[in-house]
Amino acid sequence: GITVRNVKTGETSDIPLAGVFVFVGTVPQLDFLGDVCRRTDGGWIETDRRLQTSVPGIFAAGDVRDTPLRQVVTAAGDGALAAMSAYHHIVGG
């Protein structure tokens, strides 16, 4: 189970459960980037098929990029692809 606290009233409640899925939101939190790379109207980072952004040498992976599916399994795959793309960018291959 889990114990939750209402941040407005301070009241706590115990909720019995067998599992939990954490939902962190659907709005990208990328204000720290400013206008470094091209983003969609919704704020997602645009990438090519190798996950490079509009700035050569900068790659994006996971839920911050413009993608139709935002799930941990696809984000992990994005991370692997972005890492290899960055490696090839660095070594020139």
Side-chain angles (χ1 to χ4, degrees):
I2 189 171
T3 301
V4 296
R5 182 177 58 88
N6 183 316
V7 296
K8 292 182 180 178
T9 67
E11 180 183 359
T12 61
S13 303
D14 293 323
I15 303 171
L17 50 87
V20 65
F21 293 91
V22 178
F23 178 72
V24 295
T26 58
V27 177
Q29 302 297 315
L30 299 170
D31 292 342
F32 70 94
L33 286 178
D35 61 353
V36 170
C37 57
R38 189 168 37 247
R39 295 194 282 176
T40 67
D41 290 340
W44 309 105
I45 297 173
E46 292 182 2
T47 60
D48 65 14
R49 65 186 188 91
R50 298 209 180 267
L51 304 189
Q52 183 165 270
T53 68
S54 58
V55 180
I58 298 180
F59 300 83
D63 293 356
V64 298
R65 71 182 199 89
D66 186 26
T67 180
L69 188 59
R70 290 181 178 83
Q71 294 185 356
V72 69
V73 68
T74 55
D78 276 2
L81 178 56
M84 290 308 299
S85 295
Y87 169 80
H88 288 295
H89 177 80
I90 291 167
V91 299

